[in-house]
Amino acid sequence: MQKLKFIVITFCSLFAILYLIILSYLYFNQEDFIFQPAKLSKDYKFQFDEKFEELKIRSFDNINLNGLLFKAEKSKGLIFYLHGNAGALDSWGNIANTYTDLGYDIFILDYRGFGKSGGEIESEEQFYKDVTFAYKKMLSQYPENKVIIVGYSVGTGPATYLASTNNPKVLILQAPYYNFSEMADSRFPFLPGFVLKYKFATNQFIPKVKAPIYIFHGDRDQVISFSNSVKLQKLLKPSDRFFPLKNQDHLNINDNIDFIKELRIILKS
């Protein structure tokens, strides 16, 4: 009996130690799970059919962030675009014509560690400071009442935060999440909440956004469940809109015909 008790205690102790090791690893390395940047050499030359300008933006701690500003023929304003958790501007720049064709310039920011941007993402607060510095930089060229913030996937939380602390003309969210905590709970129910450093609480920011909000989400999205936008819809102002995209998965929303149709209406209003 004593031997069995010893074995049980030993097993439980080893399990507890292993569990703590896993939690520690996830806490200190969770950026590797959330962000999947593609890095570009500093001398990389972007090539796109649209007119564009490459910008270096010095953030709050002197780290240089890289961005591309695509120019429309006759600009009506600016799309400030926060992209997803993977890739870099060499691929994200391909979405530009969706917006320039509708008469809007579009600025796309590469986050820290993405593309040519320096540094590494280390905290949610740092992320918010970076996008805020980039946003303020673009406001030196465009009046805010002509700036539309667009966030896609992981960029939707920071985009909503940005809209809640500023006064853009419009906020557009593509495949947003309710918040990161709920996503983590559904995918990793064994993890305690304190392990997650990134909350990205879109649901807390949305009620603070004064600008019109438009949400687009594919009903076949298997990365960020469509149900996230259904929940966010309940937090919208009466004048805000939620557009389900039929047979659309998580990728290529900017090419979706129904999205472009509604986008054209939004940009004309």
Side-chain angles (χ1 to χ4, degrees):
M1 195 67 180
Q2 286 294 110
K3 184 177 181 181
L4 179 60
K5 184 178 180 180
F6 174 78
I7 292 174
V8 171
I9 292 174
T10 301
F11 176 79
C12 290
S13 298
L14 290 174
F15 180 81
I17 292 172
L18 179 61
Y19 182 64
L20 289 174
I21 291 173
I22 293 173
L23 290 185
S24 297
Y25 178 80
L26 290 175
Y27 181 82
F28 291 107
N29 297 277
Q30 61 192 259
E31 288 83 5
D32 294 338
F33 295 91
I34 299 173
F35 306 106
Q36 301 166 17
K39 296 183 181 293
L40 301 174
S41 64
K42 298 301 180 183
D43 59 353
Y44 180 87
K45 301 295 183 183
F46 294 102
Q47 295 184 354
F48 299 101
D49 294 334
E50 293 79 23
K51 296 178 182 178
F52 71 93
E53 178 184 358
E54 186 174 354
L55 302 178
K56 288 183 179 180
I57 297 173
R58 192 174 295 274
S59 194
F60 67 97
D61 57 355
N62 294 321
I63 290 293
N64 282 324
L65 303 176
N66 195 233
L68 293 179
L69 175 62
F70 293 85
K71 302 291 188 69
E73 196 66 35
K74 294 182 180 180
S75 178
K76 301 174 184 176
L78 176 73
I79 303 295
F80 185 90
Y81 196 95
L82 296 179
H83 65 61
N85 73 325
L89 290 174
D90 59 327
S91 57
W92 281 105
N94 293 321
I95 71 169
N97 67 308
T98 294
Y99 300 90
T100 55
D101 286 352
L102 296 176
Y104 270 77
D105 297 349
I106 174 172
F107 172 77
I108 311 173
L109 177 70
D110 255 348
Y111 313 127
R112 290 184 184 228
F114 284 70
K116 295 185 183 182
S117 290
E120 300 292 337
I121 299 174
E122 297 176 346
S123 71
E124 185 173 353
E125 180 183 11
Q126 177 202 64
F127 200 115
Y128 293 154
K129 285 184 178 180
D130 282 347
V131 298
T132 299
F133 263 71
Y135 185 73
K136 297 298 184 185
K137 173 69 174 180
M138 300 314 298
L139 291 186
S140 67
Q141 301 184 43
Y142 298 85
E144 193 169 21
N145 62 1
K146 293 187 177 181
V147 175
I148 293 173
I149 297 175
V150 181
Y152 164 73
S153 191
V154 79
T156 55
T160 310
Y161 165 81
L162 199 58
S164 72
T165 54
N166 293 277
N167 295 290
K169 180 179 180 181
V170 170
L171 170 65
I172 297 175
L173 302 177
Q174 302 173 318
Y177 41 82
Y178 192 74
N179 61 53
F180 256 36
S181 297
E182 286 203 4
M183 284 182 60
D185 287 343
S186 63
R187 297 181 183 184
F188 309 102
F190 62 91
L191 293 179
F194 69 84
V195 173
L196 190 66
K197 291 192 293 184
Y198 297 84
K199 309 300 182 183
F200 288 141
T202 310
N203 61 304
Q204 294 181 16
F205 301 139
I206 275 187
K208 302 175 184 178
V209 177
K210 298 177 182 178
I213 302 173
Y214 300 93
I215 295 177
F216 294 86
H217 209 137
D219 61 4
R220 293 192 176 182
D221 194 327
Q222 296 183 4
V223 178
I224 298 177
S225 171
F226 180 77
S227 62
N228 283 267
S229 286
V230 174
K231 289 182 66 175
L232 288 175
Q233 182 184 19
K234 299 176 182 178
L235 304 176
L236 297 177
K237 302 183 293 296
S239 58
D240 299 335
R241 294 287 305 278
F242 168 41
F243 298 96
L245 298 175
K246 293 183 179 180
N247 300 318
Q248 173 68 50
D249 60 16
H250 191 68
L251 303 176
N252 303 318
I253 288 180
N254 289 293
D255 296 327
N256 183 285
I257 294 175
D258 292 328
F259 168 71
I260 295 174
K261 177 182 176 182
E262 296 297 338
L263 179 65
R264 181 177 289 108
I265 296 171
I266 293 169
L267 296 184
K268 283 184 177 180
S269 64

